[in-house]
Amino acid sequence: MIGFADRAIDKLRARGNPLCIGLDPNPELIPPLFGDARGDVDAVEKFFREILPLAARHAVAVKPQMGFFEPYGEQGYGLARALSAEAQSLGLICILDAKRGDIGSTAEGYARAAFGAAPGFDADALTVNPYLGRDSLEPFLSTAEKRGRGLAVLVRTSNPGARDLQDLPVNGAPLWQRVAEMIAPETVRLKGETGWSGVMAVCGATYPDEARRLRALLPDALFLVPGFGAQGAGARDAVAGFVRGPNGLEGGFVSSSRAALYPQPAADAKTLAAWREAIDNAMDEAARALRAAVKA
């Protein structure tokens, strides 16, 4: 069984850029070309059936955000699972963005749902919240280890409010650093032959200085980097925590959601062809910027 980190690095090196497309079905932003997404899950499905082939042209991964799918109830959950499977069939890595965090048998249930075959998601990786402590991560780690999957642990998130807690000093260092130190010994459990670990760290592109410090603490961990694009971070900041590899900078995935899914030219499009061209251009622009950043 090839572990997550080795599969990810192979695809990242082949693609030449670390772009991950966030699948965030915002009902207020999905164009009426696809129907009324405020109450019709079919409109969401039509939208993403068009998005996925375009993502497969430019990106290496997708990140379904469950907070956008779950308001549609059972249909939304089922659609997220179906889109994940389709993305994988197109060669994309699927990182399920559910930010799970619990203890004991409850955490085990979340892990089975994320990594198990249908009716589970069979996702390649899952985002998890470590702020319940080390024991809350163990069920996810053990399941990922058995099944060759990855975990993206929230360490330094991209939102402005991250400072409210993550910057609080704990024995002379910010809390986010203590979280990184807590997960550092676990990276060996999901480490592959490439030397990279599938125990990933979520580190926002809006904090490039922290990303460099985090890399020193977690030299083998792949990063999942939100905040690129609509949240204001540029490509160079997004790869600040990457390191030199065989073909340039490498070390994780950089996620773009709103900028890739809802660019203004696409919102103004009157035909499906014009919309598709606008989305293709937005994804191409993001991929080109990241490719230039990792080659610099």
Side-chain angles (χ1 to χ4, degrees), residues 24-32 35-39 44 47 68 72 262 267:
D24 296 7
N26 189 321
E28 303 299 325
L29 297 179
I30 291 177
D36 186 357
R38 291 172 296 181
V44 179
F47 178 77
F68 282 99
Y72 293 95
Y262 308 113

Coordinates of all heavy atoms in Angstrom, one line a residue, residues 24-32 35-39 44 47 68 72 262 267:
D24 N -16.5 24.8 -2.4 CA -17.4 25.5 -1.4 C -18.6 26.0 -2.1 O -18.6 27.0 -2.7 CB -16.6 26.7 -0.9 CG -15.4 26.4 -0.1 OD1 -15.0 25.2 0.0 OD2 -14.8 27.3 0.5
P25 N -19.7 25.2 -2.1 CA -20.9 25.6 -2.8 C -21.7 26.7 -2.0 O -22.6 26.4 -1.3 CB -21.8 24.3 -2.8 CG -21.3 23.5 -1.7 CD -19.8 23.8 -1.5
N26 N -21.3 27.9 -2.3 CA -22.0 29.1 -1.7 C -23.2 29.4 -2.5 O -23.1 29.8 -3.7 CB -21.0 30.3 -1.7 CG -21.6 31.5 -0.9 OD1 -22.8 31.7 -0.9 ND2 -20.7 32.2 -0.2
P27 N -24.4 29.2 -1.9 CA -25.6 29.3 -2.7 C -25.9 30.7 -3.2 O -26.6 30.9 -4.2 CB -26.7 28.9 -1.7 CG -26.1 29.1 -0.4 CD -24.7 28.8 -0.5
E28 N -25.3 31.7 -2.6 CA -25.4 33.1 -3.0 C -24.5 33.5 -4.2 O -24.7 34.5 -4.9 CB -25.1 34.1 -1.9 CG -26.0 33.8 -0.6 CD -27.5 34.0 -0.9 OE1 -27.8 34.9 -1.7 OE2 -28.3 33.3 -0.3
L29 N -23.5 32.6 -4.5 CA -22.6 32.9 -5.5 C -22.6 32.0 -6.8 O -22.1 32.4 -7.8 CB -21.1 32.9 -5.0 CG -20.8 33.9 -3.8 CD1 -19.4 33.7 -3.3 CD2 -21.0 35.3 -4.3
I30 N -23.3 30.9 -6.6 CA -23.4 30.0 -7.8 C -24.3 30.7 -8.8 O -25.5 31.1 -8.5 CB -24.0 28.6 -7.4 CG1 -23.0 27.9 -6.5 CG2 -24.4 27.8 -8.6 CD1 -23.4 26.5 -6.0
P31 N -23.9 30.8 -10.0 CA -24.7 31.6 -11.0 C -26.0 31.0 -11.3 O -26.2 29.8 -11.3 CB -23.7 31.6 -12.3 CG -22.4 31.3 -11.8 CD -22.6 30.4 -10.6
P32 N -27.0 31.8 -11.7 CA -28.3 31.3 -12.0 C -28.3 30.4 -13.3 O -29.3 29.8 -13.6 CB -29.2 32.5 -12.2 CG -28.2 33.7 -12.4 CD -27.0 33.3 -11.6
G35 N -29.3 27.1 -12.0 CA -30.5 27.0 -11.2 C -30.4 27.8 -10.0 O -29.4 28.5 -9.8
D36 N -31.3 27.7 -9.1 CA -31.4 28.4 -7.8 C -30.7 27.5 -6.7 O -31.4 26.7 -6.2 CB -32.8 28.7 -7.4 CG -32.9 29.6 -6.2 OD1 -31.8 29.9 -5.6 OD2 -34.0 30.0 -5.8
A37 N -29.4 27.8 -6.5 CA -28.7 26.9 -5.5 C -29.1 27.2 -4.1 O -28.7 26.5 -3.2 CB -27.2 27.2 -5.7
R38 N -29.9 28.2 -3.8 CA -30.3 28.5 -2.4 C -31.2 27.4 -1.9 O -31.3 27.2 -0.6 CB -31.1 29.8 -2.4 CG -30.1 31.0 -2.6 CD -30.9 32.3 -2.7 NE -31.8 32.3 -3.9 CZ -32.5 33.3 -4.3 NH1 -32.6 34.4 -3.5 NH2 -33.3 33.2 -5.3
G39 N -31.9 26.6 -2.7 CA -32.7 25.5 -2.2 C -32.7 24.3 -3.0 O -33.4 23.3 -2.7
V44 N -26.4 22.8 -7.4 CA -25.1 22.7 -6.9 C -24.4 21.5 -7.6 O -23.2 21.6 -8.0 CB -25.1 22.4 -5.4 CG1 -23.7 22.1 -4.8 CG2 -25.8 23.5 -4.6
F47 N -23.3 22.6 -11.1 CA -22.2 23.6 -11.0 C -20.9 22.8 -10.9 O -19.9 23.0 -11.6 CB -22.4 24.5 -9.8 CG -21.3 25.4 -9.5 CD1 -21.1 26.6 -10.3 CD2 -20.4 25.2 -8.5 CE1 -20.1 27.5 -10.0 CE2 -19.4 26.1 -8.2 CZ -19.3 27.3 -9.0
F68 N -20.5 23.7 3.8 CA -21.4 24.2 2.7 C -22.3 23.1 2.2 O -23.4 23.5 1.6 CB -20.5 24.7 1.5 CG -19.9 26.1 1.7 CD1 -18.6 26.2 2.2 CD2 -20.7 27.2 1.5 CE1 -18.1 27.5 2.4 CE2 -20.2 28.5 1.7 CZ -18.8 28.6 2.2
Y72 N -27.7 21.3 3.0 CA -28.6 20.6 2.0 C -29.1 19.2 2.6 O -29.8 18.5 1.9 CB -28.0 20.4 0.7 CG -27.7 21.7 0.0 CD1 -26.5 22.4 0.0 CD2 -28.7 22.3 -0.8 CE1 -26.2 23.6 -0.6 CE2 -28.5 23.5 -1.5 CZ -27.2 24.2 -1.4 OH -27.0 25.3 -2.0
Y262 N -15.6 31.5 -8.1 CA -16.5 32.6 -8.3 C -15.8 33.9 -8.7 O -16.1 35.0 -8.2 CB -17.3 32.9 -7.0 CG -17.9 31.7 -6.4 CD1 -17.4 31.1 -5.2 CD2 -18.9 31.0 -7.0 CE1 -18.0 30.0 -4.6 CE2 -19.5 29.8 -6.5 CZ -19.0 29.4 -5.3 OH -19.6 28.2 -4.7
A267 N -19.2 35.4 -12.9 CA -20.5 35.8 -12.3 C -21.3 36.6 -13.4 O -22.5 36.6 -13.4 CB -20.2 36.7 -11.1

